[in-house]
Amino acid sequence: MQLDPAGRYASGRELFDAIKNIRSLDADWNRYQRREWAGRILCTLLVAGGLCLVVGGQFLKKTEMDQAYQRSVQRTRELIENYQFDEAERELDQAFELYPDKIDAYVEKALAEYTSGNYETAIETALGYINQLGTVRSEHEMQELGDLYYILGNSYFECGQFDNGNNSFKKALDYNEKKNSLFYRDYAILLAKSGNIEEAEKQLEQAAAMNLSNDAILIAEAEILFSKGDYDSAIQLFQDAFRASGELSEKLRVVSLCDQAYVAKGREGVDDHIRFLENAVSTLGNTATVQVKELLAQAYLRKTSGEENQEDQERFQEYYWKAVDIYQSIYDGGYATANTLLNLGIIYESVDEYEKAGDIFEEYIERYPNHYQGYMYLAFLEAMVQQTKPNQSRDYQSMNRYYEKAMELYQAAGDQGDQNMEQLTRLIQDAKAQGWLD
């Protein structure tokens, strides 16, 4: 709007452009725009920085959790190697709280249960993880899975389930990326025990080719000789392996396998059997497990069978009480298993300590209310008690009640072929035939 035509817009187009860009010509507007853009850039940087802090914090937290998890797993293994199972369980609880689904803690849990002699529980733990396993995602998981199958195979072996053990060892070897020679050695032991001696020898050759130690090889060689029926040679090699081995776990395994060889040999070697186990318990000292002590107690009981003359009857009582002392010490230490309780009760009954025997069987029933064995042995005990009374004072009603409860649980469990239950049934039938029971 100039008076001088030269200062006016030459065309409508120039006027339109000027009107469109009028704000850019305003200094205040330009300053406002610069502040607006600076604010946007600052907000963007703050958001990005916050995201970095969140992601970084999560990464740091995960790193700390991973490190804590691995410390718990490593600490658990050390405690297992020292047979400190209660402390190991507490460490495992911490590991499971951090990562409930990672395989490492399951391996250590199964190992702790196997090493402590809870073979059936170890099987449940291993299968519990394997059955819910998805895709194996890393080499580490493959190796851990191989370890888990290895523990499962050995647990099946201890339970006498050789077919399941065979399948587990095959899986362990499939995942054995570390090429652990003990996998092949222990597989050889299982194969020998199940009668497949030729394949056992092949697996042992594979283990030996991987520089397995001589004392570890001796154990498998002894088991192969045992399976061939050469008990004396097997026992000698087992004893050599026991002396040579520097690892506690290997010594304990030798004791178990050598015990089986002595049992197979029969009463002929029972005195040597007892000396071997007494030496093992003495050598192992505080590290002698409940299982080793129970083997010695059972050897004492084997010594008592077949003793007939008066002198032998006195020794009969001596060895019974030695067995009682072992089982009682296990019981007092809080380590009594189901078998421990039953054996202790049976021994007390054998030395006429009927009240103590009854207390033990009652405790068994309290701990294992769905097991028929407690009621079955209470019925046998009641039969023994009644036989100490004059005929006119005998009352077999309690025995019959225990028998009926035992039979109910026995049939519910689907158990068949227990000779003790068959014997108890005959006793009940005799009592009814003689008029003691209706």
Side-chain angles (χ1 to χ4, degrees):
M1 302 295 289
Q2 299 288 330
L3 293 175
D4 184 0
R8 299 175 185 174
Y9 292 101
S11 66
R13 179 67 182 177
E14 287 185 6
L15 177 60
F16 175 76
D17 290 341
I19 292 172
K20 187 174 66 171
N21 297 311
I22 191 170
R23 287 183 299 184
S24 64
L25 301 175
D26 188 339
D28 291 337
W29 171 259
N30 288 333
R31 284 193 296 273
Y32 170 76
Q33 284 289 85
R34 286 194 294 271
R35 288 196 299 271
E36 181 75 10
W37 278 104
R40 290 179 182 177
I41 293 171
L42 180 60
C43 287
T44 301
L45 290 174
L46 288 173
V47 170
L51 289 173
C52 289
L53 288 173
V54 170
V55 172
Q58 290 177 341
F59 177 78
L60 181 60
K61 181 180 179 181
K62 185 178 185 307
T63 300
E64 292 174 347
M65 288 175 63
D66 289 345
Q67 292 174 347
Y69 182 82
Q70 290 303 323
R71 282 196 299 271
S72 288
V73 169
Q74 180 61 36
R75 177 61 176 155
T76 298
R77 177 62 63 94
E78 294 170 357
L79 291 167
I80 293 171
E81 290 174 351
N82 290 301
Y83 289 76
Q84 297 173 268
F85 300 114
D86 291 339
E87 293 87 342
E89 184 177 357
R90 286 192 287 272
E91 283 290 338
L92 281 173
D93 288 341
Q94 295 181 28
F96 281 120
E97 285 181 8
L98 291 168
Y99 291 113
D101 299 324
K102 290 186 72 171
I103 188 173
D104 307 63
Y106 282 92
V107 172
E108 299 307 320
K109 179 174 172 59
L111 178 63
E113 291 161 347
Y114 168 78
T115 306
S116 62
N118 295 308
Y119 307 119
E120 293 181 354
T121 308
I123 291 171
E124 291 176 1
T125 295
L127 290 179
Y129 183 85
I130 291 169
N131 290 338
Q132 58 86 38
L133 179 66
T135 302
V136 178
R137 294 177 293 274
S138 68
E139 181 179 345
H140 172 73
E141 287 183 341
M142 288 184 63
Q143 292 177 353
E144 290 292 299
L145 190 57
D147 290 344
L148 193 59
Y149 272 114
Y150 171 68
I151 297 167
L152 181 60
N154 275 320
S155 298
Y156 276 133
F157 171 84
E158 295 296 343
C159 293
Q161 300 181 40
F162 300 132
D163 287 342
N164 287 333
N166 183 55
N167 293 332
S168 297
F169 271 111
K170 286 180 178 179
K171 292 284 185 64
L173 293 172
D174 287 341
Y175 290 106
N176 184 18
E177 295 295 326
K178 295 180 292 186
K179 299 301 179 186
N180 190 330
S181 57
L182 285 177
F183 282 33
Y184 294 92
R185 192 282 305 269
D186 288 357
Y187 188 27
I189 291 174
L190 180 140
L191 289 167
K193 182 67 75 178
S194 60
N196 193 347
I197 296 173
E198 182 178 353
E199 184 61 28
E201 291 173 336
K202 289 180 181 179
Q203 294 297 327
L204 183 56
E205 288 175 5
Q206 178 69 29
M210 298 170 68
N211 297 319
L212 184 65
S213 64
N214 289 333
D215 55 287
I217 291 173
L218 282 176
I219 299 173
E221 289 178 338
E223 186 60 41
I224 290 171
L225 287 171
F226 174 31
S227 297
K228 291 179 177 179
D230 189 352
Y231 302 137
D232 290 332
S233 298
I235 288 169
Q236 184 59 56
L237 282 187
F238 279 133
Q239 293 180 346
D240 292 343
F242 181 81
R243 288 188 291 268
S245 178
E247 293 188 17
L248 177 59
S249 60
E250 289 287 274
K251 284 185 177 293
L252 293 171
R253 183 154 204 199
V254 169
V255 171
S256 176
L257 294 172
C258 190
D259 173 78
Q260 295 172 32
Y262 270 119
V263 171
K265 187 177 179 180
R267 293 199 71 259
E268 172 190 351
V270 66
D271 291 327
D272 290 336
H273 187 189
I274 288 173
R275 279 192 291 271
F276 168 72
L277 291 172
E278 287 178 336
N279 176 66
V281 170
S282 175
T283 301
L284 295 170
N286 293 332
T287 61
T289 63
V290 169
Q291 289 75 27
V292 172
K293 294 175 181 178
E294 286 189 326
L295 292 178
L296 177 56
Q298 291 164 17
Y300 286 143
L301 295 178
R302 289 182 63 239
K303 174 68 177 176
T304 65
S305 62
E307 309 290 357
E308 296 178 356
N309 61 45
Q310 185 61 39
E311 180 182 347
D312 286 340
Q313 282 296 315
E314 292 177 1
R315 288 195 298 164
F316 174 98
Q317 293 292 322
E318 174 190 350
Y319 283 103
Y320 255 126
W321 282 108
K322 285 185 176 183
V324 166
D325 288 343
I326 291 175
Y327 281 119
Q328 189 66 51
S329 68
I330 294 171
Y331 176 85
D332 292 341
Y335 299 109
T337 64
N339 286 335
T340 305
L341 290 173
L342 290 179
N343 287 330
L344 182 57
I346 291 168
I347 296 171
Y348 273 133
E349 181 180 341
S350 299
V351 294
D352 300 334
E353 292 282 353
Y354 299 138
E355 184 175 350
K356 289 183 179 179
D359 290 342
I360 294 296
F361 292 141
E362 291 286 358
E363 181 173 344
Y364 179 94
I365 291 171
E366 183 177 345
R367 291 195 192 184
Y368 310 100
N370 296 322
H371 291 197
Y372 70 89
Q373 290 89 339
Y375 291 102
M376 178 183 73
Y377 283 114
L378 274 176
F380 278 124
L381 176 63
E382 188 62 28
M384 292 290 293
V385 170
Q386 295 306 318
Q387 289 178 17
T388 65
K389 300 177 180 179
N391 286 348
Q392 64 274 16
S393 300
R394 295 181 183 182
D395 182 356
Y396 288 93
Q397 297 303 318
S398 293
M399 175 188 174
N400 191 48
R401 285 195 297 272
Y402 291 136
Y403 166 74
E404 289 177 347
K405 184 62 177 179
M407 183 57 72
E408 175 189 339
L409 294 173
Y410 179 69
Q411 293 176 339
D415 289 290
Q416 299 294 328
D418 187 331
Q419 294 182 354
N420 288 322
M421 279 300 294
E422 293 173 3
Q423 180 184 355
L424 181 58
T425 298
R426 289 193 294 270
L427 287 176
I428 292 293
Q429 291 171 346
D430 290 344
K432 290 180 178 179
Q434 297 177 29
W436 299 110
L437 292 170
D438 298 332

